[in-house]
Amino acid sequence: MGKRKKSSRKPGPARQKVPLDTTFTCLFCHHDKSVTVRLDRKEGVAQLVCRVCDQRYQSKVNHLTEPIDIYSEWIDAADAAQREEQVARRPVASSSRPVPAPASAEDSDDE
């Protein structure tokens, strides 16, 4: 048969919640801890600002959003903008064959 549980058993120690970062490194000027995120849950808006280069980003938030989420969205948006810029600058596809040199006037006189 099974053994009875002791009623005097104490619960284990509670895990401490590790706080998430609220200041981050800027993607553009690369300064550490220069980007801050302000969440305005009442208005449903988050604002990310770099104190050094004044880079800004704004996004919608909900009750589960944390500052790291806004920072990650900013990184994704910057990557997407960079990819769009590269596609726009991409040259028109050309053949890999060399372009023939134009015939000079001296070559046609030999005939």
Side-chain angles (χ1 to χ4, degrees):
M1 304 261 177
K3 197 174 183 183
R4 291 188 182 197
K5 293 182 181 179
K6 285 187 174 181
S7 62
S8 63
R9 178 178 265 179
K10 296 180 182 176
R15 290 186 183 177
Q16 289 189 354
K17 195 174 185 181
V18 178
L20 299 173
D21 289 338
T22 57
T23 57
F24 307 98
T25 302
C26 182
L27 296 175
F28 299 98
C29 67
H30 303 290
H31 280 85
D32 290 335
K33 297 183 180 181
S34 63
V35 174
T36 57
V37 178
R38 288 187 332 197
L39 299 175
D40 188 357
R41 296 186 197 280
K42 195 172 189 179
E43 296 291 326
V45 175
Q47 294 180 349
L48 179 140
V49 178
C50 176
R51 287 178 274 149
V52 177
C53 67
D54 201 40
Q55 185 69 33
R56 296 176 179 271
Y57 177 74
Q58 193 169 3
S59 179
K60 293 181 180 179
V61 297
N62 59 29
H63 66 284
L64 297 175
T65 306
E66 294 292 329
I68 188 71
D69 299 324
I70 303 302
Y71 182 69
S72 298
E73 284 180 25
W74 180 47
I75 292 172
D76 294 341
D79 287 344
Q82 187 177 20
R83 270 189 253 114
E84 287 177 9
E85 184 178 304
Q86 287 177 350
V87 169
R89 284 192 290 155
R90 200 168 148 193
V92 176
S94 64
S95 173
S96 60
R97 291 188 230 162
V99 177
S104 63
E106 294 173 10
D107 292 339
S108 61
D109 292 338
D110 292 339
E111 291 181 23

